[in-house]
Amino acid sequence: MKLHIERAAVDTLMIRLFDRIEEGNMPWLLAASQQLRRQFGDQLIDLVPSYTTLMLHYDLRQLDEITARQLITTALAGLQPLPPEHAGREHEIAVWYDISVGPDLERLSGLTGLSVSQVIALHSDQEYQVFALGFAPGFAYMGLLDEQLAAPRLATPRKRVPAGSVAIAERQTAAYPLASPGGWNLVGRTPAPLFDRNRDGYSLLRPGDRVRFVPVEHAEFVRLGGDDTPVSGDA
């Protein structure tokens, strides 16, 4: 870990701790987030952890940039990573893997040389770490995906990806919390409520959480409240 502070805006600093995306980064980033929140108190407006950085938005009415940088340096002196039991929650998320809701399963099979059932098995056999939230409310970037499944985004994004769609892009996986455009490879769908305005923090998943996708049959998917409407061919 190394500390580098960059100006991102007049009242925002980017705190870079790592240069490479690795699962081992997150305990350090979460520990840094805790220390920074304590150090800044009500002078902090927002703090957003990501793969290798934290973006810190401070109250310009209370702090200048020099003081904010000093607070960051003080907060992170002697930083130690959070132990695993404090790094995040564990989730099991039901997924119905089927061509009708995961129309890119066959494309991934062709790209990887694996059968569709092998693609599903590799995707669901692994536990993923939530690295960051972004793109849409509740959209969690997770990884790292097995290298055999790494696949580029679609050349032409879909105009509408249904809510709950589980997808792959490069060595990341995610589930769309809301219907939106998107260019990731769709492999299935979850009935899990990923975004809820009545939930504290809105998002089911948060940075540092661990996720395992659990395959379920169609009947169980529907019983859990899943929408089995096929992905439109012209979406």
Side-chain angles (χ1 to χ4, degrees):
M1 188 199 82
K2 62 178 182 180
L3 174 61
H4 182 67
I5 305 171
E6 309 162 11
R7 176 191 271 190
V10 66
D11 57 356
T12 305
L13 294 169
M14 186 68 74
I15 305 165
R16 185 173 302 279
L17 300 184
F18 300 97
D19 294 323
R20 296 179 57 186
I21 298 174
E22 296 179 355
E23 290 187 40
N25 295 355
M26 190 53 61
W28 292 91
L29 290 162
L30 293 175
S33 180
Q34 287 189 0
Q35 293 297 100
L36 289 165
R37 290 184 185 280
R38 291 192 188 103
Q39 189 72 36
F40 277 78
D42 63 4
Q43 299 170 118
L44 180 70
I45 294 176
D46 197 12
L47 183 64
V48 182
S50 188
Y51 303 94
T52 59
T53 63
L54 299 107
M55 187 171 67
L56 187 145
H57 182 194
Y58 59 91
D59 189 345
L60 197 58
R61 296 169 301 177
Q62 300 186 62
L63 291 176
D64 58 27
E65 183 177 330
I66 293 175
T67 305
R69 286 175 176 266
Q70 291 172 341
L71 288 175
I72 291 169
T73 301
T74 300
L76 302 186
L79 185 70
Q80 293 297 316
L82 282 186
E85 61 269 23
H86 298 301
R89 300 166 298 171
E90 295 185 358
H91 304 266
E92 288 191 349
I93 294 180
V95 179
W96 177 41
Y97 293 94
D98 189 82
I99 299 297
S100 65
V101 293
D104 296 314
L105 281 169
E106 291 182 332
R107 175 174 177 268
L108 290 169
S109 175
L111 286 172
T112 62
L114 302 168
S115 66
V116 168
S117 61
Q118 287 174 319
V119 170
I120 294 170
L122 273 179
H123 185 260
S124 59
D125 281 350
Q126 187 170 335
E127 186 178 66
Y128 300 101
Q129 181 170 264
V130 177
F131 286 111
L133 299 178
F135 171 64
F139 189 98
Y141 292 87
M142 294 175 265
L144 292 167
L145 197 68
D146 189 297
E147 290 183 353
Q148 296 180 78
L149 291 182
R153 291 170 173 79
L154 303 179
T156 302
R158 291 183 170 89
K159 296 177 183 177
R160 184 181 185 278
V161 174
S165 294
V166 178
I168 288 172
E170 304 300 342
R171 292 196 65 196
Q172 298 180 99
T173 188
Y176 286 76
L178 306 167
S180 68
W184 289 36
N185 301 278
L186 306 186
V187 298
R189 193 174 295 169
T190 178
L194 301 165
F195 174 77
D196 184 347
R197 290 180 177 84
N198 297 317
R199 180 190 291 129
D200 181 29
Y202 304 116
S203 178
L204 173 66
L205 305 176
R206 301 181 185 184
D209 285 359
R210 310 290 300 189
V211 174
R212 186 175 292 277
F213 294 110
V214 180
V216 296
E217 298 296 330
H218 176 255
E220 178 67 4
F221 172 76
V222 173
R223 187 191 70 80
L224 292 170
D227 177 4
D228 62 358
T229 305
V231 175
S232 172
D234 60 356

